[in-house]
Amino acid sequence: MNPTELDQLLDCALDAANTGAAELLKRFGGPLEIESKTSAEDKVTDADLASERMVRAVIARHRPNDSISGEELAEQVGAEAKVRWSIDPLDGTVNYTRGIANYCTSVGAMNLETGEWLVGAVVAPSLGLTYFAKRGGGAWLTRDGVTTQIFGPPKGRETKILATGFSYSAEERNAQFAKLAEMMTEFVDVRRMGSAALDACMVADGTVDVYYEKHIKEHDWAAALLIAEEAGQVVKRPEFVGDFGSVNL
């Protein structure tokens, strides 16, 4: 895609992510309708659904012929679409239901012809953070109205922190704990923020040094891993788009 098209996609991603995040912030701390999905802690709320509908509406206004997939609602397939959007309207739902500020709206776009991720925007409204990137354009962070380019952890940092997350399945958690024990010889501490997208973005801005997690889906990482990549980080995505897999950067 040419630079003008990428700019248009990024504008759309930012508009959509900011719109969804504003809806989350408006509802944060208020009454929620909460249902469980795969387990007691795998939640979906009326805020998730409201945010995703608003995100989809923004994308449809900017890009009426594109395909859209999201965490909560059915995929919309454009008959002649060249771009597919991947949405997580509320990444960090458990945090959100418990009043913890680490949650965000994530919006990424993929080139259907090449499989390349083109743009990504991650907005964490309670933290006042907006991360964004376009392919070949670097990674950027807006904090308190000031936008700066981000380049990942500083070179030569001696004390490294690992970010990770854990499965809702007890069996899978046990395997993850064993893997974590192996990995921790290289790190002084671990952080579990409760949002895959924010974990990856915090590698992009250098807050943590590495993010590793198994059993997450595309909407969790679609935007954030492009942001980390554009910040100069080496990224390993799951093998199959849309399937469960591991992320390592």
Side-chain angles (χ1 to χ4, degrees), residues 66-127:
D66 289 352
S67 294
I68 305 174
S69 60
E71 182 177 15
E72 308 301 346
L73 303 175
E75 184 172 3
Q76 299 169 224
V77 179
E80 298 180 2
K82 295 182 179 179
V83 170
R84 180 173 62 80
W85 296 85
S86 186
I87 302 163
D88 195 337
L90 173 48
D91 188 38
T93 300
V94 174
N95 284 349
Y96 188 82
T97 64
R98 299 188 181 208
I100 300 170
N102 285 60
Y103 66 89
C104 62
T105 298
S106 170
V107 179
M110 169 198 273
N111 184 327
L112 285 170
E113 295 178 346
T114 66
E116 287 184 318
W117 291 94
L118 300 172
V119 299
V122 174
V123 180
S126 287
L127 300 176

Side-chain angles (χ1 to χ4, degrees), residues 167-175 177:
S167 171
Y168 294 119
S169 159
E171 182 180 356
E172 292 295 340
R173 283 199 302 274
N174 287 336
F177 294 151

